Structures are given as C-alpha cells and as structure tokens.
Amino acid sequence: MPFIDTFLSLKLKLSVISPETCESQYKVVTWLIVSGIILSEVILLLRTYAIWERRRSILVILCISSIITFIPAVIVTELEIRSIQCRLSSYSSAPPNFEALC
C-alpha cells in the first residue's frame, strides 16, 4: 500500500491537471495514506497481542488506545481534506486553465 500512495502522490505533483481533478485526486491519496497507516497500526497491535499470549487485559488496553488515536486521526484528516483548495498556477509554461497547485 505505501507504494501505491507514493506513486499516486508523485503523479499528482508532477502532472498538469485541472484544480477539480487535483482536489479529487488529493483526497484519494490522502485517504490511502491514512488507511495505510491505520492498517500498519492494526498489524502491530495484533502482533503485540500475540506476544502477550492473547491476554484479555492487553486486548482491552490495545483496543482502547486504538480508539483514542484512530478516531481523532480520521477526524483531523477529514477536516484537512475539507480545507484543501487547489488553485491555478501562475508561473509555468502550461496553459493557465490546465495546471493546478496542490
């Protein structure tokens, strides 16, 4: 998953696109990055749970800490995405209607 969002992010930064396309692709890339981070954290939590011999107390602690961190991360990401505004570039050789700065 990290390779997918890295290549999509590079494509977004290096291509000439409209502001609308920039915003929609930026949203997709951002959610791919967040979901990759959350997936990695879940894998680490499961491994930690296994190391502690599947103790119920450790499972409860891990679940509570996950909820405490994942929910704010998703909320902050959504707020960030809503605040993004792509605009036309004024300093390139591309036609002004087709290049956006993200």
Side-chain angles (χ1 to χ4, degrees):
M1 201 154 179
F3 298 112
I4 294 170
D5 53 26
T6 300
F7 289 121
L8 287 175
S9 181
L10 284 173
K11 177 188 172 288
L12 180 63
K13 291 294 181 187
L14 300 175
S15 61
V16 178
I17 55 176
S18 69
E20 295 81 19
T21 305
C22 177
E23 284 184 27
S24 64
Q25 288 183 4
Y26 185 81
K27 289 177 184 179
V28 169
V29 169
T30 302
W31 282 115
L32 282 173
I33 291 169
V34 170
S35 61
I37 291 170
I38 290 175
L39 180 63
S40 299
E41 291 291 328
V42 167
I43 291 169
L44 288 172
L45 291 173
L46 291 173
R47 291 182 65 163
T48 303
Y49 178 57
I51 288 172
W52 282 90
E53 298 174 358
R54 297 174 31 180
R55 290 187 191 160
R56 187 168 180 81
S57 60
I58 298 299
L59 178 64
V60 170
I61 292 169
L62 292 173
C63 287
I64 290 171
S65 65
S66 297
I67 291 170
I68 289 173
T69 57
F70 292 163
I71 291 175
V74 169
I75 291 170
V76 168
T77 302
E78 180 62 29
L79 292 173
E80 175 193 357
I81 286 178
R82 288 184 184 181
S83 70
I84 295 297
Q85 294 180 350
C86 293
R87 57 185 162 74
L88 295 175
S89 173
S90 61
Y91 62 85
S92 94
S93 60
N97 294 336
F98 295 106
E99 183 165 342
L101 295 175
C102 290

